[in-house]
Amino acid sequence: MRPDYRECFQPFLQPGERLIVASDYYENSALPSVPAQLRTPRTPPPPSALEQRVRGVLGSVLGKVGRPLEAMGNSRPPNNPLVRAADRVSDRVENAVIGLEHIADRPMERAIWGTTMDGGWNSMAGRFLVGLTNAGREPERQALTDRRLILLVNHNTSWRNPAPQWDFGAEVPRTHIARMTPHSKVISRGRFDVAFVDGSWIALGSLQRERMEGFVAAWNRGE
């Protein structure tokens, strides 16, 4: 177990809890999207002082450029039916392109990952994914303790100070897990599946197959 993997989990362990194995987490882009009604509304963090200064400079420059363009744009008749019709067609085309891009991505994701979850949003797998999505960032670390499976997210978005800001992502008690199995497809070599006692399951992953196999082996040894 790499020291940096071990150390990032230490602040999140319960009293007396023992860390068994920790690894990187590889984002599974084929996991289903959590419905909007199950997502927690997010409040964006306040901009840093540097970001405020950059925005001020850019705003000033863009304002000078935008004023002539705005004057030109305001010269067209605002209530012209042809203009409104063209705007509506443009919106439909843009939405259609976005939808087609999304549809085009799904076959490739399925080819790489296969089926990635089974169970509704009220199942253990569904609730696990909802909690992970509502953590606010993509998970980057996963660990197995003698009590839980834990995932951490990194809330640091600063390019000046890349030090991770680890926060709790999601957890599930070991008593809720029925089994962990490595996935057989070579193309998704770091994937493993976590099956829950209610029959639902979800695909997780590591960047390297060796780390994934070590993670699953720790579970199968009953550590």
Side-chain angles (χ1 to χ4, degrees):
M1 189 188 332
R2 282 177 29 175
D4 56 327
Y5 292 161
R6 181 189 309 111
E7 291 166 1
C8 69
F9 279 95
Q10 295 300 324
F12 300 93
L13 297 181
Q14 299 168 350
E17 187 173 18
R18 180 169 57 92
L19 181 65
I20 295 172
V21 62
S23 173
D24 68 302
Y25 176 90
Y26 184 73
E27 178 187 358
N28 187 333
S29 59
L31 284 170
S33 297
V34 173
Q37 63 269 24
L38 298 178
R39 293 174 178 260
T40 301
R42 299 175 186 172
T43 302
S48 64
L50 175 62
E51 185 178 355
Q52 290 177 1
R53 290 197 297 272
V54 171
R55 285 183 176 181
V57 172
L58 289 177
S60 176
V61 172
L62 292 176
K64 294 176 181 178
V65 174
R67 279 192 290 272
L69 295 177
E70 183 180 359
M72 294 174 60
N74 288 339
S75 64
R76 70 177 187 177
N79 294 320
N80 190 315
L82 293 177
V83 172
R84 294 199 304 271
D87 288 343
R88 287 196 297 270
V89 171
S90 176
D91 289 342
R92 292 194 188 103
V93 170
E94 182 179 0
N95 291 336
V97 169
I98 293 173
L100 287 173
E101 289 176 348
H102 180 70
I103 292 171
D105 287 342
R106 300 306 292 177
M108 182 169 292
E109 292 172 355
R110 286 195 295 268
I112 295 173
W113 289 97
T115 304
T116 55
M117 194 178 88
D118 187 30
W121 295 112
N122 288 324
S123 69
M124 290 181 175
R127 293 196 299 270
F128 180 81
L129 183 55
V130 169
L132 190 58
T133 300
N134 286 334
R137 300 289 297 175
E138 297 296 339
E140 294 185 13
R141 296 288 185 269
Q142 57 190 339
L144 185 66
T145 75
D146 58 346
R147 302 176 188 176
R148 301 175 290 167
L149 169 67
I150 310 173
L151 272 68
L152 298 183
V153 297
N154 181 8
H155 280 293
N156 185 18
T157 58
S158 171
W159 56 271
R160 298 186 67 191
N161 180 14
Q165 296 177 3
W166 298 113
D167 198 0
F168 190 79
E171 68 171 344
V172 59
R174 289 184 62 138
T175 54
H176 290 181
I177 300 174
R179 61 186 179 277
M180 291 186 186
T181 54
H183 201 267
S184 59
K185 291 181 69 174
V186 176
I187 197 168
S188 54
R189 59 186 181 276
R191 168 180 165 173
F192 65 102
D193 299 336
V194 179
F196 298 95
V197 294
D198 66 348
S200 63
W201 61 268
I202 190 169
L204 304 181
S206 175
L207 188 61
Q208 296 183 5
R209 186 172 183 86
E210 292 77 12
R211 294 176 190 161
M212 175 272 289
E213 290 176 338
F215 203 94
V216 174
W219 165 265
N220 289 330
R221 289 193 300 266
E223 296 183 29

